[in-house]
Amino acid sequence: MKSIIRVLACCLVLLSLCACGSSKEPAASTATGPPPNSPTKIRVVDVSNSTGELFDVDVIGLLWSGLDDALKKRGMFWTPDSPNPPLTIEAQVVKYRKGSAVARGMLVPYWGNTVLVAKCELKEGDRVIASAESKQSVSLGHGGIAIGGWRKVFSAVGEELVSKVVRPM
C-alpha cells in the first residue's frame, strides 16, 4: 500500500513539474491608464471559417473578439464617431483543433494540444496594405492543464495578427 502511495506521489510531483513552463505571451503591462489613441482606426469587417468543419465553439466570434480586443489595446479600434474612414481587417480561421486538458495531462507530447492557425488582411478600400498569419497552441507547459485553456489561443492569435499588420504603419 505504501508503495502505491509513493508512486502516486511521485507521479503528482512529476506532473506538477512538467506543467510548469514559461509563457510565450508578453507580460501584461501594469499601467492602468487609458489605451493609447492612434489616429489610424481599424475595423474588423469579416471573419470566416475556411476549414470546412463545424466546431462546438464559436471560432468566428472568438477570433473576432480577439482582434477587436487587440485593436482596443492599441487605441486603433474604430467607432462610428471616428472622423476618418477606417482601414478594415478580414480574417480567416485556417486550422483549429480544440484539444483536451485531460489528454494534455497524460504527459504524451502533442496529445490534446489546442491549435489555431489564422490569417488576415489589412485593407484600405479594396487595396491590401498588409497581411499576416499566426499559429498558436496551448500545450503542456503553457497553461495546458487548465480547463478552458484553449480560449487563450484566440486572444493570442488576435494579438499577433494585429501586431503584424500594423507594424508597417
Side-chain angles (χ1 to χ4, degrees), residues 23 31 48 51 65 73-74 80 84-85 89 105 140 147 164:
S23 175
S48 60
T51 64
S65 295
K73 285 180 189 175
R74 289 173 174 74
N84 300 325
I89 287 182
L140 188 65
I147 304 291
K164 285 181 176 180

Side-chain angles (χ1 to χ4, degrees), residues 6-22:
R6 286 182 185 163
V7 169
L8 289 174
C10 289
C11 289
L12 183 60
V13 169
L14 180 63
L15 178 63
S16 66
L17 290 175
C18 291
C20 295
S22 63

Side-chain angles (χ1 to χ4, degrees), residues 71-87:
L71 291 169
K72 287 175 186 173
K73 285 180 189 175
R74 289 173 174 74
M76 301 178 97
F77 184 72
W78 180 82
T79 57
D81 61 337
S82 299
N84 300 325
L87 301 175

